[in-house]
Amino acid sequence: METTHREDQRSATERRRRELLEAAERVVLRDGPGASMNAIAAEAGITKPILYRHFGDKGGLYRALAVRHTDALVDALRAALDAPTDRRERVEAALDTYLAAIETRPQVYRFLMHPAEESGGERGFDVGQHSAPLLRRLGEELATVIAERVDLGADREERARVWGHGIVGMMHAAGDWWLGERPCPRERLVRHLADLLWGGLATAQDLAGGPGL
Amino acid sequence: METTHREDQRSATERRRRELLEAAERVVLRDGPGASMNAIAAEAGITKPILYRHFGDKGGLYRALAVRHTDALVDALRAALDAPTDRRERVEAALDTYLAAIETRPQVYRFLMHPAEESGGERGFDVGQHSAPLLRRLGEELATVIAERVDLGADREERARVWGHGIVGMMHAAGDWWLGERPCPRERLVRHLADLLWGGLATAQDLAGGPGL
DNA sequence: TATTCACGTTACCGCTAGTAACAACGGATG
DNA sequence: CATCCGTTGTTACTAGCGGTAACGTGAATA
């Protein structure tokens, strides 16, 4: 039969693709985001051209590898933001979810956040967008959540997007620094960040003597 | 005389080094952060080994190139934070200073923020620190300013560092997104971010109907 | 049987970062 | 004057990268 064959082929191809992705993930977890296509092909027991047939491009492979983890993280964050508690608790839960993720699998995190940029290829590649796509996506997701649920007045959508990207950036930068230095346990970091978002900077008093901030 | 000769040589070397850095800057501004050592050498009218003699490494050249701009930006931010106005105005001035900088010279900004990672070299290179060093530095600077001037209670230093890195990350991510999409003029972005820092998320009301945030 | 199609290979291209080896000039020193 | 030294500069090379062209192989379809 024809269709059966075609479907078998398709499913076999997808299975193979998953296998290749898992091999790639092993290598990336071992060698970091700079892992070479040769190394990935060797780990998968094949040679380079096959990788290029499946993913077209190193960026394609990395993108395919990224969406899986990104999807998982976005789902977890959405769940945290949907919990039936008050806003502060939900924000803390979301922060903790993100920080727990990067704490548990820092290599995955680094791969997602610092993917290698294009090198020699003349590939157009939207210039200026080679910043980590995960951050952009998280920012947009949070922006829609905020716009959906919070009353921000007239320029609601604009404010929501600024705040979404801003909050995600805060979480990311603080998490990146914390992951490198580990200056305090996770729950304290979560509390400090939530305090900052809850207007800590606005309400704190100036220290005596200095010019104030 | 001996010392005079040595000093002449030293100053000549430093002058040459500055010339090379300026050539490198022209190339980076033209070709982006992926500029090759060959291209930089050609722009300077010389060949590669000289660059390596002066800077040892591509990372060395890029670091030398980065400190100049970083220093300038840090100075401007410090000036904004030292203005004799109230805290909100100073924070807005600092945000605006940063955003104006990245708006005026986006190529410099991109070079500072997304420097090419190490490639083949087995150079130890503090793993996990290849995130943009500028962000780390800005975070630390802001942390010391906060710790010096704001009364944060018992765990002052820890909170100040978390807030410093968090605020810098917020500014960075929002600025990066804004630079790509330009959804609003700069002053509105500044106001939205300051509102967020002033507890906007904590005080806004839930929208009717939804689960709230 | 002949075609088709994905899987797989070897061998190559142009590029990169980085280096070894050598030449030439100028001032300090015997 | 001859010699050494430090700097500037060169050419020619290595090893590795991303990516590709050309070529086999084996199984299912027509």
Side-chain angles (χ1 to χ4, degrees):
Chain A
M1 210 198 273
E2 183 196 75
T3 56
T4 302
H5 177 214
R6 288 276 168 88
E7 285 165 7
D8 283 0
Q9 283 295 357
R10 177 180 299 241
S11 73
T13 297
E14 287 179 1
R15 197 167 50 242
R16 192 82 180 102
R17 191 184 154 98
R18 268 197 299 276
E19 292 173 12
L20 297 182
L21 276 178
E22 279 161 22
E25 181 151 338
R26 284 195 297 274
V27 177
V28 165
L29 256 54
R30 166 162 40 87
D31 298 355
S36 82
M37 294 296 268
N38 259 327
I40 293 174
E43 169 72 26
I46 54 167
T47 49
K48 270 193 299 175
I50 303 180
L51 285 182
Y52 284 94
R53 273 219 264 271
H54 273 274
F55 304 101
D57 199 335
K58 184 172 191 178
L61 200 169
Y62 275 39
R63 246 172 280 131
L65 210 50
V67 289
R68 310 170 83 192
H69 300 284
T70 302
D71 288 349
L73 182 55
V74 167
D75 287 349
L77 287 174
R78 278 202 174 277
L81 287 176
D82 283 340
T85 53
D86 68 9
R87 191 185 294 173
R88 166 89 188 210
E89 269 185 67
R90 272 174 295 176
V91 168
E92 288 194 4
L95 290 170
D96 193 65
T97 298
Y98 173 85
L99 294 170
I102 74 172
E103 184 182 29
T104 334
R105 308 184 63 182
Q107 317 235 43
V108 172
Y109 158 72
R110 274 192 255 280
F111 161 71
L112 289 176
M113 284 309 182
H114 311 291
E117 346 221 299
E118 88 269 47
S119 50
E122 302 300 337
R123 198 165 311 284
F125 223 60
D126 40 351
V127 178
Q129 288 295 99
H130 49 32
S131 172
L134 170 55
L135 277 188
R136 292 293 179 98
R137 184 167 162 206
L138 289 183
E140 285 298 320
E141 302 266 359
L142 183 55
T144 66
V145 170
I146 292 177
E148 278 171 12
R149 303 186 186 177
V150 183
D151 181 15
L152 293 180
D155 42 6
R156 190 178 78 195
E157 204 167 323
E158 185 177 299
R159 281 170 84 88
R161 297 187 78 194
V162 172
W163 287 12
H165 288 281
I167 293 172
V168 166
M170 177 204 76
M171 180 175 76
H172 161 65
D176 197 73
W177 161 77
W178 171 76
L179 198 59
E181 304 209 0
R182 292 302 185 102
C184 64
R186 201 173 73 217
E187 69 236 31
R188 299 238 321 224
L189 178 60
V190 168
R191 190 149 34 84
H192 292 327
L193 289 176
D195 287 346
L196 176 59
L197 284 177
W198 254 251
L201 185 64
T203 57
Q205 297 297 315
D206 281 352
L207 270 177
L213 171 66
Chain B
M1 212 198 274
E2 184 193 72
T3 57
T4 301
H5 178 211
R6 289 277 169 87
E7 283 165 9
D8 283 0
Q9 284 294 357
R10 175 180 300 243
S11 74
T13 297
E14 286 180 0
R15 197 168 48 244
R16 193 78 180 106
R17 191 183 154 98
R18 267 197 299 277
E19 291 173 13
L20 297 183
L21 276 179
E22 279 161 21
E25 180 151 338
R26 283 194 298 272
V27 177
V28 165
L29 255 53
R30 166 162 40 86
D31 298 355
S36 81
M37 295 295 269
N38 259 328
I40 294 173
E43 169 73 26
I46 55 168
T47 50
K48 269 193 301 176
I50 302 178
L51 285 182
Y52 284 94
R53 273 219 266 271
H54 273 272
F55 304 102
D57 198 334
K58 186 173 189 176
L61 200 169
Y62 275 38
R63 246 172 280 130
L65 209 50
V67 289
R68 308 171 85 192
H69 299 284
T70 302
D71 287 350
L73 182 55
V74 167
D75 288 350
L77 287 174
R78 277 202 173 277
L81 287 176
D82 283 341
T85 54
D86 67 10
R87 192 186 294 173
R88 165 90 186 208
E89 268 185 68
R90 271 172 296 176
V91 168
E92 288 195 3
L95 290 170
D96 193 65
T97 298
Y98 174 84
L99 295 170
I102 75 172
E103 184 181 30
T104 337
R105 308 185 63 182
Q107 316 236 43
V108 172
Y109 158 71
R110 273 191 255 281
F111 162 72
L112 289 176
M113 286 308 182
H114 311 290
E117 346 221 300
E118 87 269 47
S119 51
E122 302 301 336
R123 197 166 312 285
F125 222 61
D126 39 353
V127 178
Q129 287 296 100
H130 49 31
S131 172
L134 170 55
L135 277 188
R136 292 295 180 97
R137 184 166 162 207
L138 289 183
E140 286 298 320
E141 301 266 0
L142 182 56
T144 65
V145 170
I146 292 177
E148 279 171 12
R149 302 184 186 180
V150 182
D151 182 14
L152 292 181
D155 42 7
R156 192 178 77 194
E157 205 168 323
E158 186 177 297
R159 281 170 83 89
R161 296 187 78 196
V162 172
W163 287 14
H165 288 281
I167 293 172
V168 166
M170 178 203 76
M171 179 175 77
H172 162 64
D176 198 72
W177 161 78
W178 171 76
L179 199 58
E181 305 208 1
R182 291 299 186 105
C184 64
R186 200 173 74 218
E187 70 234 32
R188 301 235 323 222
L189 179 61
V190 168
R191 192 150 32 83
H192 291 328
L193 289 176
D195 286 347
L196 176 60
L197 284 177
W198 254 250
L201 185 64
T203 57
Q205 298 298 314
D206 281 352
L207 271 178
L213 172 66

